[in-house]
Structure formats: C-alpha cells, structure tokens
Amino acid sequence: MIPLSPDTLLAARCLAEGDLPGALQAAQIGLQAEPGNAPLWILLGVCAARLGQLPLAEQCWSQALALDPATPDAHFNLACLRAEQRKLSEAESHYRAELARDPDHPASLGNLGNLLQEAGRLAEAEACFRRRLAAQPSAAAHYQLGRLLRQQGQAGEAEACLRACLADAPDDVEALQLLGQLLADKGEAAEAETMLRRAVALEPEHAVAGNNLGLLLMARRNWDEAERWLRLAHARQPAAVLPNLAALLCATGRAAEAEKALREALAAEPNCADWLNLLGVALREQGRDDEAEQAWTRGLAQAPAHRRLRQNLGYLQLARCEWQAGWENHEARLAAASYPAPPSPRWQGEDLSGRRLLLMFEQGYGDAIQFSRYLNPLLEKGAARVTALCRAPLLSLFARQWPQVEWLAMGGGYPADFPPHDCHVFSMSLPWALRAFSPRAEQAYLRADPTLRQSWRARLPAGRKIGLVWRGRAEHPFDHCRSLPGPEALLPLLADPGVNWISLQPEPGEAEREWLREHGVLELGGELKDFADSAALLAELDGVVSVDTAMAHLAGALGVPCRLLLAGEHVDWRWGRDGEATPWYGSVRLQRQRRGEGWDETMARL
C-alpha cells in the first residue's frame, strides 16, 4: 500500500477535527503538487459535498476512480450521492463496487441494506445487516438488523438486537422508540411505556415516539396525556398522526372536532380515500349516517379496493338491515393482516359434497356465539367433514351442540399449521356464503348441559333469579363506553325485594366482591370455568341484565330473557340504530342509553 502524502494526512486530520477550510486548503495545495493523487481527490470531493457543491464533489470522486479504481470510499461516496438523488439502481451499483473492493466495508453494508429494505428485498437486506454486524459489531448494526427483523415478524430476535443496541448506546432514541413499539405489540405495556417515555424525554419532538406513546396511553384510557402527545406528534407529522388523533377525539365524544380536522386535511387532498374514510367515521359517531355513507361512497369511487372504506360502509348497511349489500361489503375485513391465509380456496357457497371444510371462528366470544347459529344450515350442505377451530373456552359448549363436527381448540390466534381440508370459511362470512342474508330472531339455538344445570340449580336460592354483568373485556377499544363504571351503577335495580340477584361477572375484583357481599348479591361469576358452565348457570335463571358482552349473546342463544344495556356512543352495528328489538335474538331487549344521558338515568328507565 502506497503511504499517504503529508498533504493527504493533513487534509484528513482537518476534516476529522471539523476544520473544513483547513481541509480544503490542504487538499488544493496537495493536488497542485500531485494532480494524480487519488486520495486527495476523495478528500476534496468530501469538502465540496459539505459545502453543498455536489456537482464538484461528483467530479472529484469520479476523477479519483479514473486515477485508481481501487481508491477507498470513492464508490461509497458516489453511492451516497446517488441515493440522495434517488437514483437507486446507480447507488446500489456503487455500493456493490465498494464491497467488491472491501467485502466488510461497514457503511456500504449498512447503506446497501437500507436501500434493499426500502425496496422490499428483505432477504438481501438481512444478509447485508448480518455481514455488517459480523464484520464490525456496533449499536447501529444491531439497530438496523433489529428494525428489519421486526418488519419480518421475528419479534424475539428483533428484541434481542434492539436491547444489544441500547446496551451500547442507552440514549439511542430510534432504538428506544422501536423497542417500545415491539413491547407494546407483545402486550408488555409497562416496559413499553418506560422505553417510549425515555425516548421523548431525550427528544420531545420525536413524532414517531410521541405518536406511539399517545397510542399506548389511549389504550390505558389516559386520554388527556395521550392527546397531548398526539397533538405534539401531529404538529410534526400531520398526515401520519391524524388518524390516531381523530380516533382519540371520536373515542372521547368529540367527533365534531375530529370532523373539523379531517375536513381541513381534505381541503388539501380532496380525493384522499383515507381522509374520506375517517370523515365517515366521525360523521357516523355524530349520528349523521347519510353523510357518512356519502363520504365512504365517494372514497370508494377513488379507491375501490380500500378495505376500511368498504368495511365501514358494510357496518352501516348491516345496522340499517340492508343485509345483502352489508354482508358483501363486510367480506372486506378478510383483507386485514390479522386474518390468516390457509392453503385452500375460500368457500363461497358452492356444493360441498365429498369435500372437507375448515370453519374458523373469529373475533370475540360473543361473535362466535352469535354466528354459531349458521352451523345448522352449513351442515345441511353435505360436506364430507367439517373441522371447526374455536377458542378453548367455547369448545365444550359447541362440541356438545354439534357432535358431528370435528372441534379443535385454539389459543389467542390461529395455528401456524391447519388441519387437512379442501376449502375454508370464516364464521362471520357464513351469512354471505349461505345466502342467508336476513337473520331470524330465533328463540334458542344452543342448549345447556343438563348435568351442569343440575349442579348449579342446587346452589341457587328459591324464587326469581336475575343475573348481572356490568363490564366486558378492558381490551375492547370502546370498553370505556359499553361497560358500567362498576357494579354500583346497578344499585337502582337491587331495590326490588322480590328478586335474587346473581353476579355473573367473570373475574370480579376484590373491591367488586366486597360490594356484592354488602348488597346481598350472590357472586357466582368468578366460579365459571368456560361457556358450557356459563350456559348451564344462565339456563337456571329467569333473566339477565348485561352490558354488550359475550354473556348477553349467550343468553340470547339460549333463549333466556335479557335486557342488554347499550351505551349512547359507539354502539356495535349488530344492534341497529334504534328500537328495543333485535333480529338476532328473540329473548333480548335493548335498553339504549340516550345521547348525553348518564347510566343512572338509563337504570331509572330500566
């Protein structure tokens, strides 16, 4: 290797120390004496680039390559320039040329990996990042690989990489916010919040960290602080954060504010399908259904394949009992990433003779109970075998009802490998596939186990017995609306001395148990093992008062009289827009909270 000249060394030292004029002078003097000195042309090009003279920089680096094709960093610098100019194929060629000279060039490996990741060539990008990490372990190398692995869904190794990055660089804001996102996705909210708070403490205006912290706080119903962070992030990245800010405003009863922000966004982008979709949501929350429909229809004219637009229009149509159009648009939900793609065609209602059908129950427990009614007409289609996947707490209830089906339990998600089958269908697609568009308010389509009923009957007091359920799953996005503040909201009901009140609330807290004891309510919900157990207890009661949760669906499916308490906001599509009857269950009557009404007033009317 030829030793570097004194002028080259001086120019390099000045650059390293931030003395740009000194570096420029040393490079110019050196080139007057040695016009064929390729390293000096590289340094002069760096000086030109830092002064914003990019054409001159390009000339200098090209001259260095003409003098010596193996000059270190010449191809790398040209690659960076081409990437900045968005001439990506040229940038890739220069990065690869630099790596042909030096296979372990860390910056080329990292930058080429970024370029490949942006292009969606993830396997090639991963190879670059792993080579960089092996050649020169660093916080940046761990971060790059961790970011890519998270995109590929390899959460465990991604987390390990990000933690390794933070071990070397504890204040790396990008690693902190990305690890915070990953932990939030895993349900580890406390540590996720710690990471995101560290990120915004280091960089308060970091839009991604602020947005993600806002989302985390929204999930915890910490509305005020969530709004503060979302507004800060929105000021930095309006388009990226507006959907989340609009969702918060709608969730907290301020859909009119969300509408205003969305109309401002639409003024800048009049045909933006995403803004039209969210505008429709804000209008629907205000009860302006016709305007919501117009927004969604206009959006679909711009983007016919937009999943959310079609799905939201479908929900509105179903709420209006426009069944055929509603079920057709409801199928758009299956394009969401949360739905698996089994290795078989989707069943569309064709003949099933001699075929094996895989039926997958979806969404919540209540949804599964509601749509299990379609199993009877499905089985009439003559499939050679029907295999059904459902969550474990439903298994014994369904298996007893339909023993001719092969039932398999699943955990929180669908399995990686599906049982052998020829075609598949999701449970909430059955009305569409069966062309059973309009539901019938059947009195009962589930039966409780007689043995289990007898065991509960022996524990119940004589006389009239009414069950109580006051809250659903906290994870539900609108649980703050649908659930009561606590069992004390039911106090007006307890004044009736002719009723034995029974708590059916699953997993009651200690404070709730104490309140029930003080008010003479028999607590049995904490003893319920699964939905077969719940069905047996419900079948022994004279009625139920419940918020919108699975227990109300179960009561309806069993034909047990039920008063279903519905909040004034965020009412689910299946309960329609008004009235106390529902086409889904003959034994269920809807007690609707009026807009602006508190639960105490709703209870007084009940």
Side-chain angles (χ1 to χ4, degrees), residues 259 263 276-299 313 316 320 577:
E259 179 191 351
R263 290 196 184 279
L276 287 165
N277 174 54
L278 294 169
L279 176 63
V281 173
L283 292 167
R284 178 105 205 273
E285 287 300 324
Q286 297 174 72
R288 294 154 62 187
D289 288 1
D290 291 343
E291 292 176 75
E293 181 178 17
Q294 291 170 11
W296 290 329
T297 303
R298 181 179 151 199
L313 179 58
L316 176 59
R320 289 171 163 173
R577 297 182 297 169

Side-chain angles (χ1 to χ4, degrees), residues 184-201:
D185 292 344
K186 290 174 59 181
E188 298 176 13
E191 190 179 5
E193 183 176 347
T194 299
M195 294 294 172
L196 292 170
R197 286 194 184 280
R198 278 178 60 193
V200 295

Side-chain angles (χ1 to χ4, degrees), residues 130-174:
R130 289 194 184 279
R131 279 174 59 192
R132 180 186 183 184
L133 189 60
Q136 190 179 90
S138 65
H142 279 113
Y143 170 77
Q144 283 186 306
L145 182 57
R147 181 188 61 193
L148 177 73
L149 291 169
R150 180 179 184 271
Q151 182 181 347
Q152 294 175 310
Q154 301 178 48
E157 191 179 357
E159 180 179 347
C161 285
L162 293 171
R163 291 192 185 279
C165 170
L166 290 169
D168 287 342
D171 293 339
D172 188 312
V173 173
E174 295 300 331

